[in-house]
Amino acid sequence: MIETLPELANVVLQGDTVTGSPALEPSAAAAIAVGLAAIATGYAQRGIGSAAVGAVAEDSDNLISGLIFTAIPETLIIIAFVTIFVV
Amino acid sequence: MSATGSSNPEYVNARVRSRRAALFAEEDYRKLVRMGTGEIARYMEETEYSAEMNELGARHSGVDLIEYALNQNLAKHFNDLLEWADGPLHEMIANYLRKFDAWNAKTAIRGVYSGASADDIKTDYIRAGEFGDDLLDQLAAANSVEEIVELLSDTIFEEGLADAYEEYEESDVLVPLENTMDKTFYEHLLDVADGRQAPNTPRGLYVEVLQAEIDFRNIRNALRLSRTGTDLDPDEYYIEGGKLFDEGELQQLVGSFDDLVEHIRESPYGDELSAALTDLNEADSLVSFEQALEAALLEYSDTLSYTYPVSICSALSYILAKEREIENIRAIARGREVGLSVEEIETEMVVL
């Protein structure tokens, strides 16, 4: 794969000179940023969520704090959402 | 639930910590020590143990009721643990809980040897280990020790059991059989963890706790042998896998009590045990030192569970703490039954 990289770069550069537009539009880059942030949020919530379910199973009084802690990683995706309005 | 897939330490940790918090605290023990057996039973009915006390209340009474309720509760909690845990975590927990397989196998052998009925043997089981109900029932229904040895040949305890059985046939004492099983359990402890883990990782620390347990077991055996001055061969009781003693080293150390104490003092455990070692030199009894060993192990596993919450360590520390609680309550109940004083019972307990 590495051997084909220079060739691929050439093709990309040529395309650039022909059409005059970048390989990745700003809005596409923003979409990738938001998507990665969503994956990160999911990963963080996986651990917190399973711990919260465990705590609630032992004592249902923990439901509220469990919910709050599970929701905290949502801030990641909310902040990433800003990217869309910036570009 | 199964040994496949990935571990789920977050879930197990949350549940275990909640149960850990529900264990009896020092003040509960202080109350229990001053109660009679009937009062202890009633106290237990109001706590964690109520389901078991009610269930067994019709069939047993007094100290037996307390003891069976404790065992059943222990089995319930440890089976829960196995049910929650997935993947490698499940394997590690199951591996440690084989301790109860060893206990159950020994119970069966002793029961059959002494001619107890199958039902009696079954009530004495702690159904927390890997053995299924079928195997346990077969063990209890066995007619001879030989049959039990055969039934065990499909399990990890097969190792060395044939030799021990020959020895048993010659001498007609159960000690070789029981020793072999305990040794097998301890030597398989490190199987899952595969000994060569990097230090300061959760796995590495798990190995350290297990090594500490093996070391403490060796220390205890060595001190007992040394104190009683018997001419038993220490290597027979030596358990492999620890860090403290090498095979053969035990032999010369057991000969001299002072050398042995010095060896322990210079070991990595020396700091934690130094106060207990000083006591040991002054007092005649090993009891308080052995309790100090237990307490040190408990404290050590506890520290680890705070350092690495998302690992096997918190489950392991819960298992150890729960076992201690069961033993403490049993010590109180039995002690009160035979009329020991509060102080005497307190020396038998391990409270952090």
Side-chain angles (χ1 to χ4, degrees):
Chain A
M1 190 198 150
I2 295 185
E3 301 88 68
T4 59
L5 266 184
E7 224 170 296
L8 183 72
N10 274 338
V11 171
V12 171
L13 288 174
Q14 274 166 12
D16 204 17
T17 49
V18 173
T19 59
S21 67
L24 202 59
E25 300 284 343
S27 52
I32 291 176
V34 173
L36 286 178
I39 291 174
T41 307
Y43 182 72
Q45 285 185 336
R46 167 192 171 272
I48 302 174
S50 66
V53 170
V56 173
E58 285 297 316
D59 183 356
S60 50
D61 287 353
N62 291 326
L63 181 63
I64 304 298
S65 30
L67 271 181
I68 292 174
F69 284 128
T70 316
I72 285 179
E74 297 285 348
T75 50
L76 280 179
I77 181 72
I78 290 170
I79 292 169
F81 206 58
V82 174
T83 333
I84 291 181
F85 302 104
V86 172
V87 293
Chain B
M1 210 174 278
S2 67
T4 54
S6 59
S7 303
N8 55 346
E10 298 93 353
Y11 181 75
V12 173
N13 177 47
R15 298 206 70 160
V16 151
R17 243 165 235 285
S18 164
R19 300 215 169 173
R20 176 89 218 247
L23 293 182
F24 284 0
E26 207 186 336
E27 54 199 270
D28 291 308
Y29 288 131
R30 217 176 294 140
K31 271 187 249 167
L32 281 172
V33 157
R34 284 168 178 76
M35 291 178 182
T37 50
E39 281 171 290
I40 296 178
R42 201 170 317 128
Y43 188 82
M44 281 170 61
E45 252 170 65
E46 285 160 14
T47 58
E48 175 56 45
Y49 300 93
S50 62
E52 286 78 17
M53 293 297 277
N54 290 331
E55 191 188 328
L56 296 168
R59 275 184 289 155
H60 307 282
S61 64
V63 187
D64 284 343
L65 171 62
I66 295 175
E67 179 142 6
Y68 293 139
L70 288 173
N71 286 348
Q72 199 165 328
N73 186 273
L74 186 81
K76 181 181 84 181
H77 281 290
F78 289 174
N79 280 325
D80 281 354
L81 256 187
L82 287 176
E83 215 164 281
W84 303 331
D86 274 337
L89 188 63
H90 178 98
E91 258 174 75
M92 286 195 263
I93 295 175
N95 194 36
Y96 191 79
L97 293 182
R98 286 203 190 125
K99 179 183 265 186
F100 296 100
D101 288 336
W103 161 280
N104 287 337
K106 282 191 284 181
T107 308
I109 289 183
R110 276 185 219 170
V112 169
Y113 180 78
S114 65
S117 75
D119 278 340
D120 283 346
I121 298 176
K122 280 185 210 167
T123 36
D124 283 331
Y125 280 154
I126 301 179
R127 294 173 187 262
E130 202 178 26
F131 289 2
D133 282 345
D134 285 346
L135 179 59
L136 287 175
D137 291 346
Q138 279 175 339
L139 287 176
N143 292 317
S144 64
V145 176
E146 192 181 1
E147 214 171 300
I148 292 182
V149 171
E150 258 165 44
L151 282 169
L152 290 175
S153 63
D154 293 335
T155 66
I156 59 155
F157 297 102
E158 181 211 8
E159 210 173 291
L161 209 57
D163 292 342
Y165 182 71
E166 271 170 35
E167 224 176 294
Y168 156 76
E169 277 200 318
E170 279 167 28
S171 56
D172 201 36
V173 285
L174 294 176
V175 182
L177 284 172
E178 296 186 344
N179 279 345
T180 314
M181 276 190 272
D182 280 339
K183 259 181 97 161
T184 315
F185 161 70
Y186 280 110
E187 286 174 359
H188 277 275
L189 257 189
L190 296 170
D191 273 4
V192 186
D194 137 45
R196 299 177 308 278
Q197 297 288 335
N200 287 325
T201 59
R203 272 277 176 115
L205 290 167
Y206 170 66
V207 173
E208 266 179 42
V209 179
L210 297 183
Q211 280 175 334
E213 173 148 6
I214 293 176
D215 278 336
F216 287 179
R217 187 64 50 174
N218 276 332
I219 292 177
R220 184 172 332 176
N221 288 344
L223 284 174
R224 280 189 192 165
L225 285 172
S226 179
R227 190 34 79 80
T228 47
T230 55
D231 51 0
L232 289 168
D233 180 15
D235 278 343
E236 232 172 85
Y237 299 93
Y238 171 75
I239 302 164
E240 275 172 56
K243 290 184 291 191
L244 193 52
F245 300 108
D246 295 325
E247 193 155 15
E249 197 181 5
L250 214 52
Q251 193 116 33
Q252 44 192 124
L253 284 171
V254 165
S256 152
F257 193 73
D258 293 334
D259 283 354
L260 187 58
V261 171
E262 200 50 42
H263 184 81
I264 300 170
R265 204 186 284 278
E266 280 165 13
S267 72
Y269 309 110
D271 285 345
E272 288 162 64
L273 297 174
S274 68
L277 283 169
T278 317
D279 282 354
L280 181 68
N281 272 340
E282 287 158 13
D284 265 344
S285 96
L286 288 177
V287 176
S288 60
F289 183 73
E290 288 177 5
Q291 310 300 53
L293 279 181
E294 296 278 352
L297 187 64
L298 213 53
E299 221 165 289
Y300 188 45
S301 69
D302 236 16
T303 324
L304 288 188
S305 81
Y306 288 115
T307 327
Y308 288 99
V310 192
S311 72
I312 168 79
C313 295
S314 55
L316 191 65
S317 112
Y318 170 71
I319 294 177
L320 289 174
K322 183 77 191 173
E323 269 184 283
R324 278 280 97 216
E325 173 177 288
I326 300 293
E327 272 167 42
N328 281 343
I329 301 178
R330 185 183 300 148
I332 295 173
R334 291 278 174 211
R336 294 306 290 181
E337 188 194 23
V338 297
L340 291 181
S341 72
V342 173
E343 288 75 29
E344 278 169 317
I345 297 176
E346 271 168 358
T347 57
E348 292 293 331
M349 284 172 18
V350 180
V351 183
L352 277 188

